[in-house]
Amino acid sequence: KGAEIRKVQRSERCRDQKGAEIRKVQRFRKARRIRKVQRIGEVWRLRKILRFRKVQGYWMSRRSGLSKKAWPALLIMVVLLMACGCAGGGRGDKTGERLVTESGKETGAAAPITQQMTEQQPSTDTRKVAEKEPAPQITETDWSEYFESLNGAAVVYDASAMQYKIYNREAAQTRRSPCSTFKIISSLTALEKGIIEPENSTHGWSGEVFWNEDWNHDIDFEDAFRASCVWYFREVIDEIGQERMQEELERLKYGNCDITDWEGRLNTNNNNPALTGFWIESSLLISPKEQTEVMARIFGPDTVYAPETLESLKAVMMLAEQEETQGNGSALRIYGKTGMGKTQGIVVDAWYTGFAEKDGRNLYFCVYLGRTDGENVSSARARDIAVRILSDC
């Protein structure tokens, strides 16, 4: 009986040993398959890179008008030019050595020399640019009759005449919160990036009851823009994200480009996260003159935005209540956006900004109203003032 038990134990040990060998072989084969897949993936990745570079080189040659045979000659020319530049840099009275020596001093004597060189070089380029593109003329205009007793400013830029007309220049150059006029920028960015598709742009209402009845339902892009629905554009801006929004503001040179208070916690008038943001009485600031310049960058002849993006934006910005023609028969079409901000329940910022098409010209404009005690300050009044000014321009 003991012999039989030992025999069974030996067979079990053999079986365990065999199983261990099988598992070892299986692990080896699995590792080999994984390495093979990794090698295949690496090969395909390299093929994709090479294919991309080949296509990139092809399109570069197409854009530059150079054939494949011409690229080596171009590279040789670049190398020769670099060699000539290095040789030219070595000649002279060892100015480079003197700069290095001076830069090592604690007095920092090389800094003024570098600054002087950088200031001298752009001066020639600046003169050339000034000769090609004269600076716009700025004319201070008395539009006080439109403002009556309201504090504010107005700017109209006629691109064809290269002329600014400004009322209250100091206020026109003072940066304030853009409030809902920023919906022009968020809409532009979302349309350009494909985040908003006008035909399929409805956002669902959360069920929270807001002070504006027009916001208390599911709403699409056009209605949200016209009703200035804050919660809708809060969601849109969150979809855009901080990085892309920062890039867009820097490209447009939009005021101070400060979106650090992304959630709008600096806003003392409202603590509802659905109704606050960096553009509502918070970190982002812009002046009325800068608003006008941004409108020219967006809708001017040098715009970088797609035509379909601009058409969708113009459709929601068009002033519905305007007359097709004025009394003198000249056509006037106005596109704009209102904006209004409060501090401790008092209106401190009211805007209307955009552009107008009149007699084949584009007039970029901005009307701003500041806090005026004893007066009804609103974005509707800013819009009315803008319409009257544009009609007389």
Side-chain angles (χ1 to χ4, degrees), residues 203-222:
H203 283 210
W205 176 45
S206 65
E208 180 181 357
V209 178
F210 299 104
W211 62 270
N212 191 330
E213 288 294 331
D214 294 335
W215 301 354
N216 296 330
H217 54 79
D218 295 353
I219 193 167
D220 63 8
F221 168 57
E222 181 178 356

Side-chain angles (χ1 to χ4, degrees), residues 239-266:
E239 289 184 54
I240 293 170
Q242 294 190 36
E243 185 176 350
R244 287 193 288 191
M245 184 58 74
Q246 188 69 54
E247 291 175 359
E248 203 63 42
L249 293 184
E250 290 174 359
R251 175 160 67 169
L252 289 169
K253 300 177 183 177
Y254 192 91
N256 64 353
C257 299
D258 186 358
I259 60 173
T260 52
D261 186 30
W262 181 259
E263 297 176 353
R265 295 179 180 178
L266 296 176

Side-chain angles (χ1 to χ4, degrees), residues 21-22 30 104 175 218 284 300 347 390:
E21 291 177 355
I22 291 171
K30 185 178 180 181
R175 287 175 171 172
D218 295 353
L284 185 64
V347 176
L390 292 168

Side-chain angles (χ1 to χ4, degrees), residues 107-126:
T107 55
I113 299 172
T114 309
Q115 184 179 3
Q116 185 180 3
M117 292 172 65
T118 48
E119 287 176 357
Q120 287 176 355
Q121 183 63 30
S123 61
T124 307
D125 299 336
T126 305

